[in-house]
Amino acid sequence: MKKTNGIWIDLFVFADPEKTEKATPRRRKKAREEGNVSQSPDLNMAISLLSVSSVVYFTFAGLYHSFTKIFLVITTGFNGAAAMSIPQAMHYLAFAFSAALTWLLAVMFVGLLGAALPSMLQTRFLFSLKALIPDLNKINPIEGFKKMFSLRTVFEFIKSLIKMIIIAYIGYTSIVQIWPNLFSMSQSSLEASSIALGNFIYRLLMEIGLALLAIGILDIYYQRWEYERSLRMTKKEVKDEAKDTEGNPLIKNKQRQKMMLLARSRMMQNIQNAQVVVTNPTHVAVAIEYKEDMNAPKVVAKGAGEVAERIKSMARKYGIPILRNPPLARDLFKSVEIGEEIPSRLYRLVAELLVTVYKMKNNKV
């Protein structure tokens, strides 16, 4: 049972037991490009509600007094000695309508900003058109059935139930508190009653907003956990992705072998430009090229074992002298790459080698 505990836990939380690996950077990048990111809609809604409630509370009183003055002017104008004309009344009504519309648009803008800004901060200002493309999986009945029994569905149901209970409790306690004052409000002036009712609604919305804010903050941590969980991969998916990004190991090995064969072929062709081949004598062979216009001699070919034998065979083919010098051959083989000039510490030894080669050529002449 100990070995299967993890599987039982995954089944309990409705997870795929095979998806045990963390998401790779490529998987995360692809999910982000598709608009799949972690965020809490509850936090966005809470901040939007708090923003709208605050704006309404601090601006509605001024709007109310402006409307009162406008309608007072209109009613006084119609009832007074100097009767107000219809165009004048329409002018005041148009001004009142314009002020109300401006205020309403301002409140809506604050609400949208209060919802959009937290969302942008949570998604790090992500804008993806792929999220708007219709997905057939969303209307797939099988996929829909699976989502009905997912952990997210259960969590969202419990969260919605908690929100309903909290909102109902806040509404009930608020009404209980204001209930004794309702009858006294009916005896007060319209302005006093409106202010009292506005304060009540403001406190109610702020308490609901703060409760939703607390739920939203907790929801952030769940959404991040659920997001990481949804991106988890199977070991096969990780291996397949590695093959896609880095290439199939078998294919890479074959490509590496081809490159080595090409490099070795070029190296063998360069042996004909060498002046001497220095050997170990049997295990290592290094071909050295030197011309008058060169700054220093350089290694054009080197190899050990079978490659060394091929270098010596090519040297015999082109009539290049093969000289034994085990210490020099080993040093050149270990410290100098093909195409590189020999280090200054070996100048004297290589020079002596080349002098020997030149003497051998002069003697033949």
Side-chain angles (χ1 to χ4, degrees):
M1 284 297 291
K2 290 184 178 179
K3 292 183 179 180
T4 59
N5 278 344
I7 297 177
W8 283 113
I9 291 172
D10 282 337
L11 288 173
F12 179 74
V13 296
F14 311 98
D16 187 345
E18 293 184 359
K19 293 189 175 183
T20 57
E21 308 302 310
K22 288 185 177 180
T24 60
R26 184 186 181 191
R27 178 69 171 265
R28 294 178 185 278
K29 182 180 179 182
K30 185 178 179 181
R32 182 172 176 81
E33 289 174 352
E34 294 174 351
N36 181 13
V37 292
S38 170
Q39 65 169 319
S40 171
D42 291 312
L43 182 66
N44 304 337
M45 182 176 66
I47 294 178
S48 177
L49 179 61
L50 291 172
S51 302
V52 169
S53 301
S54 299
V55 170
V56 171
Y57 178 76
F58 289 107
T59 60
F60 187 78
L63 185 70
Y64 173 82
H65 289 300
S66 298
F67 269 59
T68 302
K69 290 180 180 179
I70 290 171
F71 284 102
L72 182 63
V73 169
I74 293 174
T75 54
T76 304
F78 278 123
N79 297 328
M84 179 180 292
S85 64
I86 299 297
Q88 287 178 322
M90 293 300 296
H91 171 74
Y92 281 113
L93 288 174
F95 179 79
F97 177 78
S98 176
L101 182 61
T102 302
W103 175 81
L104 184 61
L105 291 175
V107 171
M108 291 175 61
F109 174 76
V110 171
L112 290 174
L113 185 63
L117 187 59
S119 177
M120 289 188 291
L121 291 174
Q122 289 182 77
T123 61
R124 291 177 294 172
F125 298 91
L126 172 67
F127 179 77
S128 175
L129 292 176
K130 289 186 178 181
L132 303 177
I133 300 175
D135 187 0
L136 294 179
N137 286 329
K138 293 181 178 179
I139 58 175
N140 187 337
I142 298 176
E143 293 296 325
F145 184 77
K146 289 180 180 178
K147 289 181 179 179
M148 286 178 61
F149 296 95
S150 66
L151 178 62
R152 176 180 288 274
T153 304
V154 174
F155 178 82
E156 292 297 331
F157 173 76
I158 295 174
K159 187 174 63 174
S160 300
L161 189 62
I162 292 173
K163 286 192 292 186
M164 290 176 59
I165 293 173
I166 291 175
I167 292 173
Y169 175 76
I170 293 174
Y172 172 76
T173 54
S174 299
I175 292 174
V176 168
Q177 290 177 358
I178 199 175
W179 186 261
N181 300 324
L182 287 177
F183 296 103
S184 60
M185 286 171 58
S186 61
Q187 306 296 325
S188 304
S189 63
L190 179 62
E191 181 177 359
S193 300
S194 300
I195 292 174
L197 184 61
N199 288 334
F200 166 73
I201 295 174
Y202 171 71
R203 285 196 304 270
L204 178 64
L205 293 178
M206 288 298 290
E207 288 178 4
I208 293 174
L210 290 173
L212 293 178
L213 181 63
I215 294 174
I217 292 173
L218 295 175
D219 187 48
I220 289 177
Y221 294 98
Y222 167 78
Q223 295 296 341
R224 289 178 180 174
W225 176 81
E226 171 64 22
Y227 178 71
E228 292 294 330
R229 178 175 164 274
S230 67
L231 292 182
R232 282 192 304 189
M233 306 167 66
T234 64
K235 292 182 178 180
K236 184 179 183 301
E237 288 174 336
V238 174
K239 290 180 180 179
D240 291 342
E241 184 181 292
K243 289 180 181 179
D244 292 338
T245 55
E246 300 176 5
N248 192 307
L250 295 176
I251 297 175
K252 286 183 67 179
N253 190 35
K254 289 181 179 179
Q255 291 176 343
R256 191 181 298 110
Q257 289 177 355
K258 288 181 180 180
M259 291 176 64
M260 289 177 65
L261 289 174
L262 289 172
R264 188 176 297 173
S265 176
R266 287 194 298 267
M267 182 184 73
M268 292 301 174
Q269 291 176 0
N270 292 333
I271 292 175
Q272 61 184 322
N273 300 323
Q275 274 66 51
V276 64
V277 172
V278 58
T279 65
N280 192 26
T282 56
H283 300 93
V284 174
V286 180
I288 300 173
E289 178 187 3
Y290 179 69
K291 295 179 181 178
E292 292 182 359
D293 59 344
M294 296 172 61
N295 295 325
K298 68 177 182 180
V299 172
V300 293
K302 69 174 184 176
E306 182 183 345
V307 179
E309 293 300 324
R310 290 189 60 189
I311 291 174
K312 287 187 285 184
S313 176
M314 294 294 290
R316 295 186 190 98
K317 176 181 177 181
Y318 293 116
I320 299 169
I322 302 173
L323 301 179
R324 291 180 55 179
N325 191 327
L328 179 60
R330 286 194 297 267
D331 199 344
L332 289 171
F333 181 80
K334 291 180 180 179
S335 61
V336 185
E337 296 298 326
I338 297 172
E340 290 184 355
E341 295 180 348
I342 64 171
S344 57
R345 61 184 175 81
L346 298 178
Y347 280 176
R348 185 179 61 81
L349 294 174
V350 174
E352 292 175 355
L353 202 69
L354 292 173
V355 168
T356 303
V357 171
Y358 294 144
K359 286 180 179 180
M360 290 170 62
K361 287 183 179 180
N362 291 333
N363 291 334
K364 286 182 180 181
V365 176

